[in-house]
């Protein structure tokens, strides 16, 4: 009886897998079409219905990008911003999240929690002008500092880590660590950090993606074309009234490659977290 | 023998260089320094291409061109940033849509003062552009660079197919006023396959300019009760009922594609639209397009759509060099010629209107010299009154136009909505 | 020893000194870089400022002006509608998919983990271009399909329809953001120890019961986080409606959100005072909703225990 149960389970699982696969096709579509358009000419892109298969114009599109900016430069610029920021943000957030989730009785805990939450509620775009004035006063305009340092204090990151650590790390672990003589911060680095890798990976993914796509803040801060990150550089491929769509698509694809690589690296952390999840 | 040839060559070159009748100075080495110029694509690339010619006149000025795209108010933000920072940018371009918001800010250098004395030659520019840069107290905030004299671009082959005349003169005569536009234009419509214009906004913009009505009068009063708005919206409704207006949003990819597929028979825009057709929307339709005047209101057929200006920021450390640059850019023949040939930008500097590079038989338009349409439009344009709330009014009016075209609101309802929306912000 | 309240507090602070060390980096950076903009924005809400001239004090006029503006009133309704549906559908879909991937899928888990995130990687403008290709009035894929099925060509203007543009924006949001919530739920699912499942299976507990009695309650914090995050994003929604309507907000402002209204006010019309006031309205809405969530969560937890 267990055998047949297993079989029907397996069949059910297979069905689910196929259904999910069909669904996932819809999610691949933007990327697929970006790739198709990246190989087409401007004329072909405007056809109705649009082309469904790849064309042969990719070399010319690459040359069109080259005519405006060195194609790999914005990618490097984006990496210069995204990598330090992700590492820093995740660390700062995990640390603060740990403090908030463990020491719920410390004086001032509630105040910090409320302030952290409050930072989430404020629409970011409005702070743009005062932010600009601040960066101007610091002499940080046209550098990458404004894109990295202020972002390290992410209310979102702290709340996520607070939620995740709170629901993943059992109190008994802290007690055990204390008995072994580990102090607060040391506990964080040696005991907590290894266990919360899926949470760290998730936050890293989010930070990476949002930094990569960030348009408004870099636009306000960076005036030198050679320092443009990917989204800004993409817009220089367009003039006021028309965009060189195939070139934009190709540049987008190129800009995605580093994200994919980093993503693949982070994905391994998810699997690693699986085995580490078996906490007594 | 060689030296004689070289000498002849040098003479010939010198002769050629001194031919143009417009402002052409001998190299001025006295002004030096580095300036930073803020503009948007494709101007940035055009400016870059102009630098050799500029440096031939001013060898000691180094120009750094910054191109910030206009999308998402990016360029407006960049100008604002430059103005707030108080340094770092010497020269900035201003697009006509931003003019109302920016021109009365103190960060623009008053060009009517010495040593610029722009007032001495400002009247060499198209009249309505002078009104745009001159503030009530006489301050000149920027120099006019380009305008957008409006015309009706049309597909002569589609007109022929529909049994309509095809030469610019005939079409211009047939479409003399807006009623004729509706009656005759209907013949071009194939339901769900071909429309006459992309958006009702083209009609309203033209009619407002022709009637000489701005959104706000000089004393700040909202002019929505002027009869032209009601008339214009009624024309939009008639056009929509006749199936003449396409469902596509202007500037969207579908709208651009519609030109490619020959689904739009006409387009009512400034002359720069031709550049878009040639380079992007209809690059393979050479010979099929022509230009004539748009239908008129009470005989007035001129309207302007587009244009830009260029000014010096107060925080500039090298205003002398900045002035040399902007003055050269807006009056120098080579500069105006390249900007026209690269981007179809129509000079606001009137003496340029007689040049040969602007009056020629354009093969794209079947050999038509389209300047015969545009030059009179430029000359007859009525100046607009600019107001900081123009963007609010324009947005509200855009909504109203679409609502009327789609039958969502009646003309009176739409006008009332515009009034409510703008007055809430006044 | 007679320790006063102050003495007790000091003692606690010393005992829990790790707390202050832990939150110090975050708080320090926050204080330096985020406090000024927030306070400045509060100040701006009571002023009229175009970014250059001196601010003019106008009291509550900006707040009143916003309420009078018919477009603002519309934006409130649009935002609520799109926030509600996008939050509910995205979170539910992500929950379903992540549980399925985690527990049921037989192969290709790494593929599934990544694929749903793909739409988020592309800039919103590009995702919108793809969606427009589907729903364009003339030659759009949906119209072509429905025309092929019904026999008569279809030219329905989805994007220009007042009724359909909001669902389309919701579709775009679901499309883009489901992947991110899947990541959140998968991270949470992965922290649930496997032994609990093994034990339940051994006891013969059915799959649905495992899900509803074990998985779901353990996922509650993650679901709460996802819902709050989705609400924050939903109430401030800007990217998706903006790119889908070319910045115009749809026919008759049927898709204009508070976020779009804010952007237009502050950055197109350089009216920062009014923009600040609108952002504080958004803030208020978010606070109210979060308090509602907190209360519901307490009640859920109370019942569940």
């Amino acid at each position: 009886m267990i055998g047949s149960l297993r079989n029907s389970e397996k069949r059910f699982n297979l069905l689910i897998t196929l259904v999910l696969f069909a669904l996932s096709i819809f999610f691949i579509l933007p990327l697929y079409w970006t790739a198709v358009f990246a190989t087409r000419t401007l004329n072909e892109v405007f056809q109705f219905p649009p082309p469904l298969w790849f064309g042969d114009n990719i070399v010319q599109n690459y040359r069109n990008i080259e005519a405006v900016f060195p194609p790999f430069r914005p990618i490097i610029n984006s990496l210069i911003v995204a990598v330090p920021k992700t590492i820093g943000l995740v660390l700062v957030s995990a640390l603060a999240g740990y403090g908030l989730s463990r020491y719920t009785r410390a004086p001032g805990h509630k105040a910090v929690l409320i302030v952290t939450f409050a930072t989430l509620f404020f629409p970011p775009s409005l702070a743009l002008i005062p932010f600009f004035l601040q960066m101007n006063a610091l002499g940080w305009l046209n550098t990458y500092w404004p894109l990295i340092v202020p972002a390290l204090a992410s209310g979102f990151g702290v709340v996520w880590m607070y939620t995740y650590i709170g629901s993943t790390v059992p109190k008994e672990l802290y007690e055990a660590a204390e008995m072994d003589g580990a102090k607060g911060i040391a506990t964080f680095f040696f005991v907590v950090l290894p266990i919360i890798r899926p949470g760290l990976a998730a936050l890293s993914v989010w930070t990476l993606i949002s930094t990569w796509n960030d348009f408004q803040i870099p636009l306000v801060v960076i005036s030198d074309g050679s320092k443009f990150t990917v989204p800004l550089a993409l817009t220089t491929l367009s003039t006021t009234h028309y965009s060189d769509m195939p070139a934009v698509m190709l540049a987008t694809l190129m800009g995605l490659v580093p994200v994919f690589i980093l993503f693949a690296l982070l994905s391994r952390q998810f699997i690693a977290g699986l085995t580490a999840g078996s906490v007594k | 023998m060689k030296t004689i040839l070289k000498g002849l060559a040098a003479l010939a070159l010198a002769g050629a260089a001194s031919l143009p009748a417009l402002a052409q100075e001998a190299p001025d080495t006295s002004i030096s320094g580095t300036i930073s110029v803020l503009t948007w694509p494709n101007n940035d690339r055009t400016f870059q291409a102009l630098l050799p010619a500029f440096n031939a006149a001013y060898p000691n000025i180094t120009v750094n061109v910054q191109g910030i795209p206009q999308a998402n108010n990016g360029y407006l933000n960049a100008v604002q940033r430059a103005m707030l920072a108080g340094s770092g940018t010497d020269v900035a371009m201003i697009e006509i849509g931003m003019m109302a918001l920016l021109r009365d800010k103190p960060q623009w250098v008053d060009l009517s003062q010495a040593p610029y004395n722009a007032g001495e030659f400002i009247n060499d520019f198209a009249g309505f552009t002078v009104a745009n840069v001159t503030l009530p107290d006489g301050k000149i905030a920027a120099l006019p660079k380009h305008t957008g004299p409006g015309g009706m671009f049309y597909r002569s082959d589609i007109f022929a197919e529909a049994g309509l005349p095809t030469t610019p003169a005939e079409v211009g005569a047939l479409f003399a006023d807006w009623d004729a536009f509706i009656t005759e234009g209907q013949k071009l419509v194939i339901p769900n396959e071909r429309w006459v214009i992309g958006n009702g906004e083209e009609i309203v913009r033209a009619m407002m300019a022709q009637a000489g009505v701005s959104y706000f009068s000089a004393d700040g009063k909202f002019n929505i009760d002027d009869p032209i708005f009601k008339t214009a919206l009624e024309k939009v409704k008639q056009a929509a009922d006749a199936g003449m207006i396409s469902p596509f949003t202007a500037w969207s990819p579908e709208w651009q594609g519609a030109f490619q597929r020959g689904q739009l028979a006409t387009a009512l825009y400034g002359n720069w639209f031709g550049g878009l057709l040639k380079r992007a929307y209809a690059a393979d339709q050479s010979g099929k397009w022509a230009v004539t005047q748009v239908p008129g209101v009470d005989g007035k057929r001129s309207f302007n759509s587009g244009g830009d200006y260029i000014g010096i920021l107060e925080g500039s450390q090298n205003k002398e060099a900045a002035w040399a640059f902007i003055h050269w850019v807006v009056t120098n023949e080579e500069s105006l010629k390249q900007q026209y040939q690269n981007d179809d930008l129509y000079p606001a500097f009137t003496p340029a209107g007689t040049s040969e590079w602007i009056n020629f038989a354009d093969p794209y338009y079947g050999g038509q010299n389209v300047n015969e349409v545009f030059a009179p439009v430029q000359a007859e344009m009525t100046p607009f009154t600019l107001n900081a709330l123009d963007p609010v009014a324009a947005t509200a009016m855009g909504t109203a136009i679409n609502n009327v075209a789609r039958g969502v609101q009646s003309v009176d309802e739409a006008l009332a909505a515009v009034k409510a929306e703008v007055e809430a912000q006044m | 020893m007679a320790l006063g309240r102050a003495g007790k507090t000091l003692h606690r602070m010393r005992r829990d000194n790790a707390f202050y060390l832990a939150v110090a980096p975050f708080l320090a950076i926050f204080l330096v870089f985020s406090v000024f903009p927030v306070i400045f924005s509060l100040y701006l809400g009571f002023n009229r400022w175009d970014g250059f001239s001196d601010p003019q004090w106008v009291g509550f006029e900006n707040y009143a002006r916003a309420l009078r503006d018919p477009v603002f009133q519309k934006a409130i309704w649009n935002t609520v509608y799109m926030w509600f549906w996008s939050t509910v559908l995205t979170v539910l879909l992500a929950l379903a998919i992540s549980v399925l991937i985690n527990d049921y899928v037989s192969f290709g888990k790494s593929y599934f983990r990544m694929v749903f995130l793909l739409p988020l990687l592309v800039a919103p403008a590009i995702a919108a271009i793809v969606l427009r290709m589907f729903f364009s009035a003339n030659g759009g894929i949906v119209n072509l399909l429905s025309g092929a099925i019904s026999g008569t060509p279809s030219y329905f203007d989805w994007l220009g329809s007042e009724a359909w543009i909001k669902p389309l924006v919701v579709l775009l949001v679901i499309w883009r953001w489901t992947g991110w919530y899947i990541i959140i739920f998968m991270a949470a699912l992965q922290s649930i120890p496997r032994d609990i499942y093994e034990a339940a299976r051994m006891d013969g507990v059915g799959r649905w019961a495992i899900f509803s009695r074990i998985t779901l309650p353990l996922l509650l914090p993650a679901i709460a986080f996802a819902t709050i995050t989705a609400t924050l994003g939903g109430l401030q929604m800007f990217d998706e409606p903006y790119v889908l309507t070319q910045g115009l907000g749809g026919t008759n402002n049927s898709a204009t959100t508070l976020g779009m209204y804010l952007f237009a006010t502050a950055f197109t019309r350089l009216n920062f005072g009014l923009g600040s006031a609108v952002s504080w309205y958004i803030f208020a809405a978010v606070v109210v909703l979060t308090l509602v969530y907190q209360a519901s969560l307490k009640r859920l937890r109370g019942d569940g225990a």
Side-chain angles (χ1 to χ4, degrees):
Chain A
M1 199 174 84
I2 294 187
S4 71
L5 246 163
R6 283 263 171 81
N7 264 346
S8 73
E9 260 185 29
K10 273 204 184 142
R11 254 184 286 139
F12 187 65
N13 282 3
L14 195 60
L15 184 65
I16 297 281
T17 309
L18 290 173
V19 167
L20 270 184
F21 184 73
L23 186 63
S24 74
I25 299 286
F26 280 109
F27 287 80
I28 294 191
L29 282 178
L31 204 61
Y32 174 73
W33 247 305
T34 304
V36 167
F37 279 9
T39 60
R40 293 278 180 172
T41 65
L42 195 60
N43 256 17
E44 292 170 338
V45 158
F46 284 139
Q47 286 164 15
F48 273 179
L52 290 175
W53 193 243
F54 297 98
D56 54 10
N57 204 43
I58 191 168
V59 177
Q60 182 57 42
N61 289 335
Y62 184 82
R63 298 244 172 82
N64 290 349
I65 303 178
E66 257 187 327
V68 180
F69 59 80
F72 288 96
R73 193 178 57 196
I75 297 177
I76 297 180
N77 292 341
S78 279
L79 280 173
I80 294 178
V81 173
V83 174
K85 175 180 164 188
T86 302
I87 298 177
L89 189 156
V90 172
L91 214 56
V92 170
S93 302
L95 200 54
Y98 162 73
L100 281 169
S101 89
R102 178 174 178 183
Y103 300 102
T104 51
R105 297 226 300 255
H109 175 270
K110 196 161 191 191
V112 175
L113 200 58
I114 291 182
V115 162
T116 310
F117 264 91
T119 66
L120 291 179
F121 300 163
F122 199 74
S125 67
L126 205 73
L128 233 41
I129 294 293
F131 178 74
F132 169 78
L133 293 173
Q134 245 187 330
M135 295 301 122
N136 191 26
L138 283 170
W140 276 3
L141 282 183
N142 212 22
T143 68
Y144 290 125
W145 294 115
L147 303 178
I148 302 178
V149 178
L152 297 179
S154 160
F156 177 84
V158 176
V159 171
W160 165 243
M161 281 284 112
Y162 165 69
T163 309
Y164 190 76
I165 295 178
S167 59
T168 308
V169 181
K171 296 283 173 198
E172 299 82 46
L173 200 64
Y174 294 138
E175 289 161 15
E178 288 239 333
M179 289 206 288
D180 285 348
K183 290 288 209 64
I185 301 295
T187 314
F188 169 74
F189 279 103
F190 295 115
V191 180
V192 175
L193 216 47
I195 309 178
I196 55 173
R197 269 198 282 201
L200 293 177
L203 185 57
S204 306
V205 165
W206 174 82
T207 312
L208 209 60
I209 294 182
S210 62
T211 311
W212 208 259
N213 281 339
D214 196 5
F215 180 75
Q216 276 234 302
I217 300 192
L219 185 70
V220 163
V221 165
I222 301 188
S223 46
D224 187 353
S226 64
K227 297 209 178 104
F228 275 3
T229 55
V230 172
L232 283 115
L234 283 183
T235 56
T236 61
L237 290 170
S238 313
T239 65
T240 306
H241 292 298
Y242 86 91
S243 56
D244 185 352
M245 185 111 79
V248 172
M249 295 291 181
L250 182 58
T252 303
L253 269 189
M254 289 171 62
L256 286 179
V257 168
V259 182
F260 271 126
I261 297 178
L262 288 167
F263 199 70
L265 290 173
L266 285 170
S267 261
R268 298 230 188 99
Q269 293 308 312
F270 278 112
I271 309 178
L274 228 177
T275 47
S278 48
V279 177
K280 281 279 182 52
Chain B
M1 187 59 169
K2 261 204 194 148
T3 14
I4 301 180
L5 277 177
K6 266 202 197 155
L8 281 174
L11 263 177
L13 263 168
S18 61
L19 263 178
L22 299 178
Q24 175 79 353
E25 302 98 49
D28 184 339
T29 50
S30 62
I31 311 180
S32 64
T34 309
I35 56 169
S36 169
V37 174
L38 189 63
T39 181
W40 57 82
N42 199 31
N43 285 310
D44 56 350
R45 286 166 234 170
T46 308
F47 277 0
Q48 285 290 136
L50 277 175
L51 289 184
F54 175 69
N55 284 127
Y58 295 93
N60 293 333
I61 304 183
T62 315
V63 179
N64 291 328
V65 180
Q66 292 284 11
I68 308 279
Q70 287 211 16
N72 296 0
N73 293 316
Y75 185 75
L76 181 60
N77 279 358
V79 175
Q80 198 183 3
R81 186 207 324 126
M83 291 163 75
L84 280 173
S87 69
T89 307
D90 301 89
V91 170
M93 276 179 54
I94 308 175
E95 209 242 348
I96 180 98
M98 302 171 195
M99 208 56 197
L101 282 172
L102 294 178
R103 69 173 182 171
D104 52 4
K105 304 296 178 241
Q107 283 89 351
W108 301 101
V109 171
D110 185 357
L111 301 173
S112 65
Q113 306 292 323
Y116 321 110
N117 298 318
E120 288 169 10
F121 62 90
I122 195 75
N123 290 312
D124 286 337
F125 295 95
F128 69 98
T129 62
V130 179
N132 283 344
V133 296
T134 314
L135 297 180
D137 59 6
K139 172 176 172 180
I140 297 180
L143 288 184
K145 188 149 93 46
H146 291 107
T147 62
M152 181 164 90
F153 294 81
Y154 66 95
R155 282 279 297 266
S156 40
D157 58 331
I158 294 182
F159 271 51
E161 194 189 300
L164 292 171
T166 57
T167 68
E170 290 172 328
V171 174
L174 187 64
F175 285 65
D177 58 40
W178 293 100
D179 288 320
F181 181 72
I182 308 277
T183 350
E184 301 298 326
Q186 285 186 49
K187 302 177 184 168
L188 294 159
V189 175
I190 300 178
N192 289 314
E193 275 308 317
R194 193 162 72 204
W195 302 269
V196 179
I197 55 174
N199 191 298
E201 195 246 343
E202 299 172 48
I203 299 178
V204 176
R205 191 187 339 110
M207 289 181 76
M208 275 177 65
Q210 290 161 349
V213 174
S214 312
Y215 284 118
F216 296 88
S217 52
D219 56 5
K221 183 170 150 295
F222 187 38
N223 284 334
I224 194 65
D225 295 321
D226 190 297
I228 191 65
F229 291 109
K230 180 155 181 173
T231 318
L233 281 180
E234 279 167 358
K235 283 289 167 289
V236 169
K237 179 148 176 54
Q238 288 170 10
D241 289 342
M244 290 167 66
I245 305 185
S246 87
F248 309 124
T249 315
W251 312 111
S252 67
E254 307 86 69
W255 177 84
Q256 294 175 13
F259 284 107
Q260 271 206 315
R261 290 165 41 105
Q263 292 183 309
L264 293 173
T266 72
L268 312 178
Y269 284 102
N271 78 299
W272 44 265
F273 191 74
L276 293 176
L277 286 176
K278 289 180 195 170
R279 282 171 222 117
Y281 304 167
D284 52 355
Q285 294 173 17
S286 176
K288 297 186 183 170
W289 287 87
V291 184
T292 187
Q293 291 181 301
V294 306
V297 168
D298 297 332
K300 280 217 71 181
R301 305 179 77 155
S302 298
F303 82 101
N304 182 62
S305 143
D308 53 51
Y309 304 78
I310 191 165
I312 305 178
L313 288 171
E314 200 48 65
S316 167
Q317 309 284 346
N318 195 339
K319 299 199 178 67
E320 204 186 17
W323 171 252
F325 181 76
I326 69 172
H327 184 235
W328 185 88
V329 158
V330 303
T331 57
N332 179 279
E333 160 124 55
E334 182 62 27
S335 157
L336 295 174
K337 171 172 152 200
Q338 281 199 28
Q339 294 184 72
Y340 185 81
Q341 289 177 336
N342 285 358
D343 301 312
D344 276 60
L345 294 175
Y346 201 92
F349 192 57
T350 351
T354 52
S355 315
E356 45 165 49
W357 43 265
I358 209 176
N359 291 297
F360 64 100
D362 194 332
Y364 188 84
Y365 298 115
Q368 181 189 2
N369 173 10
V370 293
N371 198 36
E372 290 173 357
V373 174
F374 293 128
V377 167
Q378 171 116 316
E380 292 164 12
M381 263 297 299
T382 324
F384 250 60
T385 309
L386 298 178
N387 184 299
L389 283 172
D390 280 345
V392 180
T395 313
M397 184 57 78
T399 307
I401 294 172
N402 268 328
N403 288 353
V404 167
R406 292 181 190 275
V408 168
Q409 280 179 331
S410 73
V411 170
D412 290 321
E413 288 170 344
L415 281 173
V418 171
K419 191 165 188 180
E421 203 179 313
V422 175
E423 284 180 350
Q425 299 258 348
M426 281 176 72
Chain C
M1 259 215 244
L3 280 172
R5 283 277 276 316
K8 249 200 185 161
T9 311
L10 263 172
H11 171 75
R12 279 222 195 97
M13 282 174 78
R14 214 174 301 144
R15 182 194 67 188
D16 291 337
N17 70 345
F19 170 71
Y20 304 100
L21 280 174
V23 299
F26 168 70
L27 278 183
I29 300 180
F30 168 75
L31 278 167
V32 171
F33 292 107
S34 304
V35 170
F36 169 61
V38 171
I39 297 184
F40 191 70
S41 161
L42 185 62
Y43 165 71
L44 270 187
F46 297 112
N47 282 275
R48 191 168 197 151
W49 194 49
D50 61 358
F52 310 105
S53 342
D54 299 319
Q56 284 174 289
W57 184 265
V58 292
F60 281 96
E61 191 193 309
N62 285 328
Y63 290 92
R65 191 181 285 254
L67 291 176
R68 273 202 307 264
D69 189 343
V71 180
F72 181 77
Q73 295 158 5
K74 258 210 166 125
I76 296 180
W77 165 243
N78 292 343
T79 308
V80 169
Y81 178 101
M82 292 194 277
W83 150 71
F84 179 79
W85 286 112
S86 63
T87 300
V88 167
L89 294 176
T90 312
V91 173
L92 282 180
L93 188 63
L95 190 60
I97 295 180
S98 37
V99 170
L100 289 176
I101 297 179
N102 201 44
D103 294 338
Y104 290 70
V105 153
S106 21
F107 59 87
K109 273 198 184 163
S110 355
Y111 162 79
F112 283 112
R113 246 195 293 275
M114 197 180 61
V115 73
F116 293 102
L117 209 49
L118 289 180
L120 194 58
L121 290 179
V122 233
I126 298 193
I129 288 178
V130 176
L131 197 69
R132 295 174 74 99
M133 280 189 337
F134 271 85
F135 288 96
S136 174
N138 188 291
I141 295 177
V142 170
N143 276 347
L144 285 178
L145 280 176
S146 69
I149 295 176
S150 70
T152 47
S154 162
Y155 296 103
F156 188 73
D157 192 357
W158 299 93
L159 294 164
S161 152
E162 266 187 293
W164 283 101
I165 188 68
K166 283 202 269 284
L168 284 185
V169 173
V170 173
L171 184 64
L172 186 57
V173 174
I174 297 176
W175 197 23
R176 293 190 74 228
W177 289 96
T178 302
W180 162 236
Y181 295 109
I182 292 179
I183 299 269
I184 292 185
F185 289 137
M186 292 210 70
L189 279 170
Q190 249 141 47
S191 66
I192 300 179
R194 289 265 119 198
D195 350 4
I196 298 188
Y197 287 126
E198 295 305 321
R201 293 293 217 89
M202 300 275 242
D203 287 347
V205 183
R207 280 172 141 187
W208 176 253
I210 289 186
F211 171 68
S212 55
R213 299 275 179 76
I214 300 180
T215 316
L216 211 50
L218 285 175
L219 277 182
L220 218 48
I223 297 180
F225 178 76
T227 314
I228 294 187
T229 314
T231 299
L232 284 170
L235 287 175
Q236 299 175 26
M237 202 187 293
F238 172 79
D239 282 333
E240 285 85 5
Y242 187 85
V243 295
L244 202 58
T245 62
Q246 302 272 135
L248 296 174
T251 304
N252 206 12
N253 284 311
S254 44
T256 304
T257 58
L258 288 175
M260 285 178 67
Y261 183 82
L262 178 73
F263 182 79
T265 307
F267 294 104
T268 313
R269 301 173 199 165
L270 300 187
N271 189 344
F272 289 97
L274 183 55
S276 295
V278 171
S279 75
W280 285 101
Y281 273 127
I282 299 181
F283 177 91
V286 173
V287 168
V288 165
L289 276 169
T290 309
L291 290 175
V292 170
Y293 284 148
Q294 292 271 56
S296 325
L297 201 63
K298 270 204 189 126
R299 207 175 299 161
L300 264 172
R301 281 231 177 93
D303 285 349

